[in-house]
Amino acid sequence: MTRGRITVEPDDGLTTRGRRNRPLLIVNTGEGKGKTSAAMGMAMRAWAQGWAVGIYQFVKSASWRTGEYVALTRLGELDGDVTFERMGTGCTWMRSAHGGEVSAEEAAVAAWAHVRQGLAEERHRLWVLDEFTYPMAWGWVQTDEVVEALRSRPGTQHVVITGRRCPQPILDLADLVTEMTKVTHPFDKGQKGQAGIEW
Amino acid sequence: MTRGRITVEPDDGLTTRGRRNRPLLIVNTGEGKGKTSAAMGMAMRAWAQGWAVGIYQFVKSASWRTGEYVALTRLGELDGDVTFERMGTGCTWMRSAHGGEVSAEEAAVAAWAHVRQGLAEERHRLWVLDEFTYPMAWGWVQTDEVVEALRSRPGTQHVVITGRRCPQPILDLADLVTEMTKVTHPFDKGQKGQAGIEW
């Protein structure tokens, strides 16, 4: 990465500082690798800035102890404000809120309600909604509702959404969309994922 | 990310475990964002596995205090083994080795010699060679020499190379190449990079 250079001088009446502080919606999508790990790298940067960081994983289970979970919760314990919730069906608070087992769809709906309320309350400065495209793509969470909640979010809350099959209205709203494209992949050679690399 | 599924059963006589432990060469390239941040996310995962992690930035200056530098060196101080070197012209040990100012080309050549020796000595289990494509693309570091050093590296050393314009012989050698493609970028709207997001 090189420091940003402006390619077009904007005519929006904002100062550079005002523009810098504009809340961003960032989407990492596509069939390739790196969508989640790039979002986690951004969470690390945000932590280093002293920002309140919230990471919400919509598909991963709480029983799956990933490297990013270990590292980012450790950083948060050290210093600062890191919330890291894995909101799949194994999520403990969700189970107790529902009085027992929840389906994947119920978990996603409850997770989104939780995030939407947090956005309204300006809970974090950087949000990572990991694999949030799937509950939208599957019709479990209404995309229009997400667009509305993102559009009306108060303050300077940056939001990063990751996952394949991102609905078009989210792409249209985004300030930055990066598509990760697979060029060569070791799984094609029959290699399984490795701890330390893939999680 | 979802846990890997094998799409082809390999006929290489290796056990699954042997295949899992095969050293990987990973390239994050393309015009889009996320090349460095995805590599830093992987460094975080490797740290969480207790691996020796080495991050070498070929273009960034030591005077530039990025979020990933702060977070990963902090994790390394806590526990484990993290080396994070910014090997641009501002690099202190390089200046003293050269008895004064070094050019960008001299810095890149010295940095590569340092990395090559470390690979031969199995210094780390995960290497991030950030923006290493540029010294190769500019002809400062010979691509053939890099291919040879990578091909003959001993043990299980995973290497991640980031940057645009990756030379074809490196892509050919890689086990995993991801191209980050810019779809929408706020710089196009005249927005400058933000701390916490871009560094």
Side-chain angles (χ1 to χ4, degrees), chain A residues 177-192:
Chain A
V177 176
T178 302
E179 190 178 342
M180 277 70 170
T181 309
K182 174 177 108 170
V183 181
T184 309
H185 198 294
F187 293 172
D188 297 337
K189 300 179 190 169
Q191 173 138 20
K192 286 192 174 173

Side-chain angles (χ1 to χ4, degrees), chain B residues 118-137:
Chain B
L119 284 167
E121 294 169 358
E122 285 189 62
R123 199 177 293 151
H124 309 293
R125 180 133 176 209
L126 181 81
W127 294 75
V128 175
L129 308 183
D130 188 41
E131 300 192 321
F132 186 42
T133 55
Y134 302 108
M136 290 189 278

Side-chain angles (χ1 to χ4, degrees), chain A residues 1 3 19-20 22 44-45 64 68 71 131 175-177 179 181 183-184 186 191 193-194 198, chain B residues 1 3 19-20 22 44-45 64 68 71 131 175-177 179 181 183-184 186 191 193-194 197-198:
Chain A
M1 196 212 57
R3 270 180 193 271
R19 236 176 273 121
R20 263 185 199 268
R22 203 158 54 179
M44 208 163 53
R45 289 176 181 162
W64 190 1
E68 50 266 35
E131 301 194 317
D175 301 288
L176 170 56
V177 176
E179 190 178 342
T181 309
V183 181
T184 309
Q191 173 138 20
Q194 301 190 28
E198 305 264 346
Chain B
M1 197 214 57
R3 271 182 193 268
R19 236 176 272 120
R20 262 186 200 268
R22 204 158 52 180
M44 207 162 57
R45 288 175 182 163
W64 189 2
E68 49 267 36
E131 300 192 321
D175 301 288
L176 170 57
V177 176
E179 190 178 343
T181 308
V183 181
T184 310
Q191 174 138 18
Q194 300 190 29
I197 301 284
E198 306 262 347

Side-chain angles (χ1 to χ4, degrees), chain B residues 75-90:
Chain B
L75 288 172
E77 283 160 16
L78 261 183
D79 187 13
D81 182 355
V82 176
T83 301
F84 199 129
E85 302 275 6
R86 288 145 318 157
M87 312 192 71
T89 53

Side-chain angles (χ1 to χ4, degrees), chain B residues 117-164:
Chain B
Q117 191 182 336
L119 284 167
E121 294 169 358
E122 285 189 62
R123 199 177 293 151
H124 309 293
R125 180 133 176 209
L126 181 81
W127 294 75
V128 175
L129 308 183
D130 188 41
E131 300 192 321
F132 186 42
T133 55
Y134 302 108
M136 290 189 278
W138 297 330
W140 294 352
V141 168
Q142 296 309 305
T143 301
D144 290 353
E145 207 181 287
V146 175
V147 166
E148 181 46 37
L150 289 172
R151 207 194 290 278
S152 64
R153 72 193 189 277
T156 306
Q157 300 182 84
H158 304 296
V159 178
V160 186
I161 294 176
T162 79
R164 293 173 169 81

Side-chain angles (χ1 to χ4, degrees), chain B residues 9-52:
Chain B
E9 265 302 323
D11 184 25
D12 53 11
L14 289 173
T15 60
T16 297
R17 189 183 176 85
R19 236 176 272 120
R20 262 186 200 268
N21 293 332
R22 204 158 52 180
L24 299 176
L25 174 62
I26 296 171
V27 176
N28 293 347
T29 191
E31 297 296 313
K33 309 299 290 181
K35 297 183 288 293
T36 295
S37 51
M40 297 302 167
M42 288 183 57
M44 207 162 57
R45 288 175 182 163
W47 171 86
Q49 287 293 322
W51 295 1

Side-chain angles (χ1 to χ4, degrees), chain B residues 5 73 119 124 166 181 185:
Chain B
R5 274 162 309 185
T73 54
L119 284 167
H124 309 293
C166 186
T181 308
H185 198 294

